[in-house]
Structure formats: structure tokens, C-alpha cells
Amino acid sequence: MTFGKSLIANFKSMNEQVNFMRSFMNSCIVTVSYVALVLFFCSIAGYAFAVYDFPGRNTLFAILLGTMMIPATAGVIPWYIMMSRFHWIDTFWALIVPNCANAFGIYWMRQYCKNNIPVALVEAARIDGCPEVFIFFRVIAPILKPAYAALGIMNFVNVWNDFMQPMMVLKSPKMQTLPLLLRGMVGDRGTDYGAMMLASTCAVLPILIAFLCASKYFMSGLTAGAVKE
């Protein structure tokens, strides 16, 4: 068991014990796919709740907010039964699809759209003959960059560090994500803490990189690219 200056020895020991790169790629696939779907679906739904006036909008939004008061642990058993019936056990679909349009993400994007997207901007695009789909992707989406960055980082951290759901559905070693791999490095007969700390450090780096890449959008003006009424 080595510490400190024995980086190469720890790296060799880590590769001998576990397949770190395979688990790293698994975590990247799950996290990037999930975050991309969350940003897409939640932004569209939040924009619809904020801009469009359709029958039952307030009632539907109130029901959506009500689901946020249900503890996540209360839905673990129904979620597992659904994944089993969909034959998604030991697949990444069970970790990506079910929560890609979550209530918090829709609420977050709805509030941002409501406070930072002037109705005049949407109406001006409609007068110019821009289709509704192009209005969102070409006019609205660039304004939502700060909201995308914040929501993306929050979901990135949550999914990257998630342990319970992968533990329940990912059965084979080749499918395990980094939290499962790190847990497997702790043994009853001894733990190579040097290798485990190196693996933990490598697992934290993507979170730091993601935050550094998106942090500039937090500092930019929340209404950048829009107009004031």
C-alpha cells in the first residue's frame, strides 16, 4: 500500500484491481446523456409554461410542483418494478430516461423564462414569420445559457455521484459506474488506500472541469441578448 509520492505505483495498483477507464466511460455516457436530455426537455417544458397560455396551465403546473414534495425514496420500488418490466435492468436506459424531464428542472427553466424573456421578443419573432420551433432554438435558447449552465451543473453532479440507482439496476461489472467502482475497492481483508484515493481524485476531476467551463455563464448578465420592456 503506497501513498503520496508513489503516483505511478498507485496507478498500476489501481489498474490491477479495477477497470477504471471502463467505469469512467460508463459514468460519462450516463451523465452526459442524462444532462443533455434534461436540458432539452426541461427547457422546452419550462418555456411552454412561461410563454404559452393554454387551458389548465396553472393546474398542471401546480400538480407538477406537488410531485416535488414526494420523497424520492418513496418511488424506489415502483421505479425498479417499471425498469424490470421494460427489461432495462443492467442497462443505462434505467439511469437516463426516467428522470430526464424532472419537476425541478421544469420549474427552474419556467421561472427563468418568466423573469428574463420579454413577451415582446417572442411576438416580434412571430411577426417576422419565424416558426415556433425556430423561435425557441434561435431566439430563446441563447438567452437561456445561464439557466442551462446552472441546471446542467446541478444535474451533472447529482448523476455523476449517484450510487443508489446504479447499485440497484447495474448487475454486471462491465456496466458499473464510478461510485460502484470506488465502493468495490474497499475490501474486508484490506484496502489499498493509495489506489483508492487516486481513483477518487480522477473521479472528481470531471466535476471541476464542468464547473470551470460553465462558471462564466453565472457571471454574465442574466438577460444577455434580450430586451427590456
Side-chain angles (χ1 to χ4, degrees):
M1 184 168 60
T2 54
F3 297 91
K5 300 179 181 180
S6 303
L7 178 61
I8 297 177
N10 290 334
F11 185 79
K12 292 180 179 179
S13 177
M14 179 184 70
N15 288 330
E16 291 174 358
Q17 296 181 44
V18 294
N19 190 347
F20 180 84
M21 290 306 301
R22 181 61 180 266
S23 296
F24 184 85
M25 290 303 301
N26 291 343
S27 290
C28 287
I29 293 172
V30 172
T31 304
V32 173
S33 301
Y34 177 81
V35 171
L37 290 176
V38 164
L39 296 182
F40 177 74
F41 287 115
C42 291
S43 60
I44 290 179
Y47 171 74
F49 275 116
V51 175
Y52 294 107
D53 188 11
F54 54 89
R57 180 182 68 171
N58 294 332
T59 302
L60 185 60
F61 188 68
I63 295 174
L64 183 70
L65 293 181
T67 62
M68 296 174 63
M69 295 185 290
I70 302 175
T73 52
V76 170
I77 295 177
W79 168 78
Y80 184 84
I81 294 174
M82 290 178 62
M83 298 304 100
S84 178
R85 292 181 178 178
F86 289 163
H87 303 289
W88 283 357
I89 300 299
D90 205 26
T91 68
F92 294 146
W93 296 111
L95 305 177
I96 298 173
V97 175
N99 295 321
C100 64
N102 58 77
F104 174 77
I106 296 174
Y107 169 77
W108 178 276
M109 300 305 294
R110 185 256 187 187
Q111 293 302 108
Y112 188 89
C113 291
K114 197 174 184 63
N115 295 329
N116 296 278
I117 297 180
V119 178
L121 188 65
V122 180
E123 293 177 348
R126 289 172 179 167
I127 292 174
D128 289 339
C130 186
E132 294 294 328
V133 175
F134 290 162
I135 290 177
F136 178 79
F137 287 105
R138 294 185 178 181
V139 179
I140 305 303
I143 304 174
L144 300 180
K145 284 183 179 180
Y148 280 138
L151 183 62
I153 288 178
M154 287 186 287
N155 282 275
F156 187 95
V157 173
N158 289 336
V159 177
W160 187 267
N161 294 329
D162 188 20
F163 176 78
M164 184 180 70
Q165 289 186 339
M167 180 185 65
M168 294 179 63
V169 297
L170 300 181
K171 305 299 183 181
S172 58
K174 67 178 182 179
M175 300 296 291
Q176 67 181 357
T177 56
L178 282 178
L180 299 181
L181 177 135
L182 294 175
R183 176 61 183 85
M185 295 181 71
V186 180
D188 295 334
R189 297 183 178 181
T191 302
D192 188 342
Y193 289 100
M196 188 179 69
M197 290 300 103
L198 178 60
S200 301
T201 302
C202 294
V204 171
L205 287 179
I207 298 177
L208 298 178
I209 294 173
F211 177 78
L212 292 176
C213 292
S215 60
K216 61 180 180 180
Y217 294 111
F218 288 110
M219 306 305 294
S220 63
L222 295 182
T223 57
V227 296
K228 294 184 178 180
E229 292 186 299

